[in-house]
Amino acid sequence: MSAATFTVSPVPQEANPSYSILDQNHPVPDLSFGPIDLNNLTRAQRIGLVQGPTAGIYLDGKYIGFVNIRAAMALSPFAHHFFTQYPNHDMNFPAAAVNEKALRIVLRYFSFHFLGGKTVRRLPFGKNFIESVRIYRAAVVFGLQEYISHLVGYLHGYIKRDDSLLSYDGFDALLWGTTPEDRIFRHAASLYSRLRYVDEIPDREEFNDWVGARPVIAEAMAAIDERHACERAFYDEKRAGKIAWQERKREREARAKAEEEKIKEGRIKAEERKAEKARKKAKEHRPAPGLTRSSEAVERSNAFWARYN
């Protein structure tokens, strides 16, 4: 996304004879030549950026807030170009350009709250993915890519989560907040092209209908599919070979298991035959019936013979 995707209307201010890009008390020599690196500024110089002239910021004619012109020109290529061309003008963004809440957050980045401390504070994350995308878009509109690497990292990580996929609302916010040239858009298109290819989209038909209704992402994913067609054909063939190998492996394991069960069953039967043979042998050596006496008979016999001893 760039300022070229929409037109910001300049709104004339009242003449301001004291308007000066440079702050004589806290001079930033390179300010008039283009955006500068905040890391090269002292705290006093950063404080100087948030002093002096301001410009009103409007969204479709509605006043949103103001921006410190020096800070905006120091950080934003877009603002630097605008205020160089229109030094005594406010900015009026079209309604579709940015989200109002996100615009208010980004405007605060050009204030003492963010720039006046010992270190430069970072733009905050949104409360959720959609809000973060809106802040990201507003920051990119102003050309603040150098200062939002943490936000880019968050969006990348959220899109690439292993535990869940983007909601359709989240994806729509992403399509609104980026362009096909944007690295976050390319990341999402590439990831979901792969997920669709490996059949990891829960409802693939519904997803394809959703993509088909959005030409921007549909064309991007189709181009990715075409670009990876040869590679995917190779992996399809490789995967088919792997599946066949796994099937043969399962068959070998099944045969080995059946053979093992057969051997185990044979051992059990052998043990049973051995036990049966032992029972028969014990039965053959048992005394014949009637040849044994009970303990009572033995006692009576002993008592009888004891009388003659």
Side-chain angles (χ1 to χ4, degrees), residues 240-265:
K242 183 177 181 180
I243 291 173
W245 177 83
Q246 290 175 337
E247 184 63 29
R248 291 194 298 271
K249 181 181 178 182
R250 283 193 292 268
E251 290 176 356
R252 289 196 302 270
E253 290 175 347
R255 288 196 299 269
K257 186 175 181 180
E259 186 67 23
E260 184 179 347
E261 290 292 333
K262 186 176 180 180
I263 294 173
K264 184 178 180 180
E265 184 179 352

Side-chain angles (χ1 to χ4, degrees), residues 60-305:
D60 195 29
K62 177 183 177 181
Y63 179 76
I64 302 300
F66 69 90
V67 64
N68 294 289
I69 294 177
R70 291 176 185 147
M73 294 183 71
L75 302 178
S76 166
F78 167 68
H80 192 281
H81 175 77
F82 180 90
F83 289 120
T84 299
Q85 188 174 3
Y86 304 104
N88 288 295
H89 287 73
D90 297 329
M91 288 184 180
N92 183 31
F93 289 89
V98 289
N99 172 265
E100 179 178 332
K101 182 178 179 181
L103 180 58
R104 293 181 187 276
I105 291 173
V106 171
L107 289 182
R108 293 181 62 197
Y109 192 66
F110 304 110
S111 68
F112 182 87
H113 178 72
F114 281 88
L115 302 180
K118 293 182 179 179
T119 59
V120 179
R121 298 182 62 182
R122 301 191 306 179
L123 269 173
F125 298 103
K127 294 180 180 179
N128 50 51
F129 177 78
I130 293 177
E131 284 192 9
S132 295
V133 169
R134 291 169 178 169
I135 294 172
Y136 171 79
R137 176 182 173 105
V140 172
V141 164
F142 276 95
L144 299 178
Q145 287 90 331
E146 185 178 348
Y147 307 104
I148 56 173
S149 59
H150 62 293
L151 195 54
V152 172
Y154 163 75
L155 296 177
H156 265 261
Y158 191 95
I159 293 169
K160 198 178 180 180
R161 291 178 305 166
D162 295 330
D163 58 339
S164 63
L165 303 177
L166 281 178
S167 66
Y168 287 125
D169 287 341
F171 222 132
D172 277 328
L174 181 68
L175 298 183
W176 172 84
T178 61
T179 64
E181 295 76 28
D182 192 288
R183 52 184 169 174
I184 294 178
F185 177 96
R186 295 197 305 268
H187 170 63
S190 177
L191 175 64
Y192 278 80
S193 171
R194 183 184 65 80
L195 291 177
R196 182 171 63 177
Y197 166 68
V198 298
D199 203 22
E200 291 187 11
I201 303 293
D203 192 333
R204 183 168 178 169
E205 183 177 350
E206 180 185 63
F207 179 74
N208 285 336
D209 290 341
W210 181 87
V211 170
R214 292 156 178 80
V216 174
I217 189 66
E219 292 174 6
M221 292 179 66
I224 292 170
D225 291 340
E226 182 178 356
R227 189 163 61 247
H228 293 285
C230 293
E231 178 185 349
R232 289 175 177 177
F234 169 77
Y235 281 111
D236 284 342
E237 183 178 352
K238 187 176 181 180
R239 183 166 54 183
K242 183 177 181 180
I243 291 173
W245 177 83
Q246 290 175 337
E247 184 63 29
R248 291 194 298 271
K249 181 181 178 182
R250 283 193 292 268
E251 290 176 356
R252 289 196 302 270
E253 290 175 347
R255 288 196 299 269
K257 186 175 181 180
E259 186 67 23
E260 184 179 347
E261 290 292 333
K262 186 176 180 180
I263 294 173
K264 184 178 180 180
E265 184 179 352
R267 289 175 179 171
I268 292 174
K269 289 182 177 180
E271 291 293 333
E272 290 177 349
R273 288 194 298 269
K274 184 177 179 181
E276 181 64 23
K277 186 176 180 180
R279 285 195 297 272
K280 288 181 178 180
K281 187 175 181 180
K283 188 175 181 181
E284 291 174 357
H285 290 80
R286 186 180 303 167
L291 297 180
T292 59
R293 295 184 298 173
S294 65
S295 58
E296 294 179 357
V298 172
E299 290 178 0
R300 288 196 301 271
S301 176
N302 291 338
F304 174 80
W305 291 107

